[in-house]
Amino acid sequence: MTRSPLDFLFPKGEEIDAIEAKLPEDFLWGGAISSGQVEGAFEEGGRGRSHLDWIRYKGPQDPSNFMLAADYEFAHEHEEECNFPNRRGIDFYHRYKEDIALMAEMGFKALRMSISWCRLFPTGKEEKPLKEGVEFYHNVFRELHKHNIQPVVTMIHYEVPDDLVDEYNGWESPELIKYFTHYTSFILDEYKDEVKYWLTFNEINMVCAVPYLGGGILLDRSKRDWNELTHQALHHQFIASALTVKYAHEHAPNCLIGNMFNLQHMYPLTPSPEDALRAHFEQEFNMFFCDVMVRGAYPDWIKGFYKRHNINIDYVDNYEQILQEGKVDFISLSYYLSSVVSVDPAKREKIGSFIRRNRNPYLKTSDFGWQIDPIALRISLNELKDRYNKPIFIVENGLGAFEELDENKTVNDIYRNAYLRDHIIAIKQAVGDGVNVIGYTPWGCIDLVSCSLVSMSKRYGFVYVDADDEGNGTYDRFKKQSFNWYKKVIASNGEDLD
Ligand code: BG6
């Protein structure tokens, strides 16, 4: 009788996909939000404008976070006529105590949030921060600790002070490194005793996919083409992040500091070796954003890619040493969907695109066409472990849906429970495979302004916020059905998922 190698691993004939581990007792359950999508109060305390404040809502058919110069200038010239949902957020600035109390009721151990750079340094260039902004975050952290919730803080979640966009075209310029590290060293010094977990850049790969969103960059204000421009900007972000990590290691040694990238699992559309090769390099491209921050060096293949595509980067002096000295302590990621890729010219898409047209016939999609694939999360977690062997924090995942309050003032979002349940099972299986996952903070734990649609219509929360795309509504909070489900999940440390 022949034996397969798996028989040694699973002598009782267990199925490889059935193995689930218990999560560690100190697993960081919680939720995630960002300052630019929740705070509102865009003019309070002297806060400056961020580039997100200029993204208009133009109606459901016209998502507009992809801005070019004309759009940006139009928004500045016609400010009074425009609808800017990020400026309103969900009024977290005034309601944070109520929101944190709801999170505490669910049993959150962690809240992933971000600090708004321009709430502290309005133009990004000031020497000293605004007192009111500094105090606001102290108050939020105090409130979280009162409820035994750990703040997990992203230093920049897409919010570039608008003056730096206008003057420097955002992260295209190396000048931003100096201003950003001034800001990050300040927040590390100021909050290091209140915040243990830090992330430098939210979804660092977004600067290449959506340059205005990820880097405050107007493509048509630059002499460089898209690829060269965005990889130059990315280089500046890598350097700014590495210098921040080094500073944290030297000045805030009790803190842990991670990267944050958008994880994309790629399948070949067909079993053809050509499609498989394409999928391999798309995956490598996705991992490249992690490689530089975790290993502290550019991989060789990307330098070849730059050469072949005539992408000429002005590397910052001494960059190899800076990257080596600024390696992160843990990996954090957002995960929403998997994609299929192909070499077929009719189905080929730009490398690194976030949302793809090609469909995987084995997967269902969300209301918004995002392919739901918990198994790819397990595969990717295993790959990340093999590649880096670092703790992994899943700081975004979730299901965006169109929702309305019913007559009982709730939303019967059982589909959300199902989505999250499947992903939690995948995480437990990955932990069973030996991956060190330290926490899970689903995105938009309270409804907030959608990033891609710049509106309230796409909702992720356990808590419904009564606000619409035009800013109408009471902004009152209502628990959805998933609220109690998630509470039970946390209380049972992920054992009771029904
Ligand atoms: C991530 C971002 O890309 O996905 C969040 O970090 C964003 O800011 C989230 O909101 C979900 O995307 P969307 O477009 O559904 O809001």
Side-chain angles (χ1 to χ4, degrees):
M1 196 174 79
T2 55
R3 284 173 69 92
S4 104
L6 285 182
D7 292 341
F8 292 101
L9 286 173
F10 309 109
K12 296 188 196 129
E14 303 98 313
E15 292 295 325
I16 193 164
D17 61 1
I19 296 167
E20 264 177 52
K22 288 209 157 109
L23 294 170
E25 282 308 313
D26 56 356
F27 191 74
L28 290 166
W29 292 101
I33 56 175
S34 78
S35 46
Q37 291 166 276
V38 301
E39 281 180 9
F42 76 103
E43 281 181 311
E44 267 177 67
R47 177 189 180 278
R49 304 273 163 87
S50 83
H51 75 304
L52 294 189
D53 293 332
W54 294 104
I55 305 182
R56 293 184 279 154
Y57 174 68
K58 295 192 257 174
Q61 304 313 329
D62 192 1
S64 40
N65 64 15
F66 198 97
M67 298 250 284
L68 294 175
D71 212 9
Y72 178 80
E73 282 150 19
F74 181 94
H76 282 73
E77 283 157 21
H78 300 267
E79 187 173 0
E80 297 308 317
E81 301 149 39
C82 300
N83 176 2
F84 298 113
N86 289 314
R87 296 183 181 195
R88 297 186 293 270
I90 55 163
D91 199 25
F92 179 81
Y93 189 81
H94 297 111
R95 295 178 180 243
Y96 68 92
K97 288 193 179 169
E98 178 188 352
D99 292 343
I100 291 171
L102 286 164
M103 293 166 191
E105 195 182 328
M106 280 185 275
F108 277 25
K109 316 266 188 257
L111 174 68
R112 176 186 172 227
M113 52 175 283
S114 63
I115 293 179
S116 168
W117 185 356
C118 60
R119 196 174 284 291
L120 301 192
F121 298 92
T123 68
K125 294 164 85 173
E126 292 78 4
E127 182 59 30
K128 295 231 170 339
L130 293 170
K131 231 172 131 210
E132 201 167 321
V134 176
E135 233 5 75
F136 171 67
Y137 293 107
H138 274 305
N139 291 339
V140 173
F141 299 148
R142 215 170 284 133
E143 194 66 19
L144 288 168
H145 286 299
K146 195 169 105 191
H147 292 285
N148 294 317
I149 300 175
Q150 288 260 6
V152 176
V153 174
T154 315
M155 294 171 157
I156 179 167
H157 193 122
Y158 296 150
E159 280 179 284
V160 184
D162 189 48
D163 293 68
L164 301 183
V165 173
D166 213 21
E167 188 172 348
Y168 297 110
N169 206 20
W171 283 95
E172 175 173 14
S173 166
E175 288 293 300
L176 265 74
I177 299 171
K178 154 181 96 197
Y179 295 125
F180 182 74
T181 50
H182 177 65
Y183 154 68
T184 57
S185 48
F186 170 78
I187 56 177
L188 280 164
D189 289 344
E190 183 73 21
Y191 301 120
K192 65 181 173 213
D193 296 331
E194 290 156 285
V195 179
K196 177 173 174 192
Y197 294 95
W198 296 88
L199 316 176
T200 55
F201 284 80
N202 180 62
E203 290 187 339
I204 197 156
N205 31 355
M206 221 40 87
V207 69
C208 296
V210 193
Y212 183 75
L213 180 72
I217 293 169
L218 297 161
L219 283 173
D220 49 350
R221 275 203 187 167
S222 173
K223 290 193 194 79
R224 299 174 186 242
D225 73 8
W226 180 331
N227 280 336
E228 187 172 276
L229 167 61
T230 57
H231 281 267
Q232 181 67 61
L234 176 69
H235 179 68
H236 297 148
Q237 295 190 343
F238 281 149
I239 296 297
S241 175
L243 290 169
T244 299
V245 172
K246 182 172 187 234
Y247 188 88
H249 288 162
E250 289 169 358
H251 298 265
N254 296 328
C255 296
L256 294 170
I257 186 156
N259 66 334
M260 197 302 205
F261 82 116
N262 173 254
L263 173 70
Q264 296 221 350
H265 187 76
M266 308 289 173
Y267 298 103
L269 184 62
T270 72
S272 84
E274 286 82 2
D275 278 359
L277 186 66
R278 174 84 190 185
H280 167 77
F281 275 112
E282 289 261 10
Q283 289 267 104
E284 284 296 299
F285 185 68
N286 189 227
M287 290 296 167
F288 150 67
F289 296 94
C290 224
D291 282 349
V292 179
M293 301 174 88
V294 180
R295 293 174 166 163
Y298 276 76
D300 292 337
W301 76 267
I302 195 93
K303 294 216 165 166
F305 176 86
Y306 284 169
K307 216 176 190 165
R308 281 199 308 282
H309 293 270
N310 202 18
I311 297 173
N312 300 301
I313 305 292
D314 294 327
Y315 291 100
V316 165
D317 287 350
N318 227 2
Y319 78 96
E320 282 160 319
Q321 188 182 341
I322 294 172
L323 294 176
Q324 267 305 306
E325 290 174 352
K327 291 188 269 187
V328 292
D329 303 315
F330 65 94
I331 293 165
S332 91
L333 57 95
S334 59
Y335 174 73
Y336 292 94
L337 49 90
S338 65
S339 301
V340 277
V341 296
S342 164
V343 289
D344 178 345
K347 295 180 175 144
R348 223 174 153 137
E349 295 174 89
K350 184 171 161 41
I351 188 165
S353 304
F354 182 48
I355 307 293
R356 316 267 176 151
R357 288 186 312 273
N358 294 327
R359 288 284 154 236
N360 183 332
Y362 298 97
L363 298 177
K364 296 205 173 99
T365 57
S366 74
D367 289 356
F368 297 86
W370 293 16
Q371 300 187 134
I372 301 170
D373 188 1
I375 292 178
L377 176 60
R378 181 182 178 188
I379 297 171
S380 299
L381 289 173
N382 272 282
E383 285 170 353
L384 286 168
K385 177 194 152 89
D386 289 348
R387 196 171 178 115
Y388 305 116
N389 204 18
K390 290 259 180 209
I392 301 174
F393 200 158
I394 300 163
V395 295
E396 275 189 42
N397 174 236
L399 183 71
F402 289 112
E403 292 170 335
E404 278 176 17
L405 277 187
D406 63 20
E407 63 284 4
N408 300 317
K409 298 274 179 218
T410 184
V411 177
N412 190 15
D413 56 343
I414 40 172
Y415 42 85
R416 177 161 294 112
N417 305 354
Y419 176 100
L420 295 174
R421 177 187 303 121
D422 291 347
H423 285 80
I424 293 168
I425 290 172
I427 294 167
K428 288 169 68 179
Q429 289 171 335
V431 171
D433 300 333
V435 184
N436 180 11
V437 184
I438 59 173
Y440 180 61
T441 53
W443 176 248
C445 49
I446 177 164
D447 290 348
L448 41 68
V449 178
S450 153
C451 180
S452 53
L453 303 187
V454 205
S455 70
M456 287 300 297
S457 300
K458 188 177 186 186
R459 295 172 182 273
Y460 285 85
F462 302 110
V463 174
Y464 182 92
V465 176
D466 175 31
D468 72 10
D469 300 337
E470 312 292 333
N472 304 308
T474 59
Y475 285 74
D476 287 346
R477 282 50 172 154
F478 299 89
K479 296 174 193 172
K480 300 183 195 174
Q481 296 297 307
S482 55
F483 185 99
N484 286 326
W485 175 81
Y486 194 46
K487 181 176 177 180
K488 205 173 56 166
V489 171
I490 297 178
S492 64
N493 199 27
E495 290 301 294
D496 185 353
L497 296 171
D498 294 334

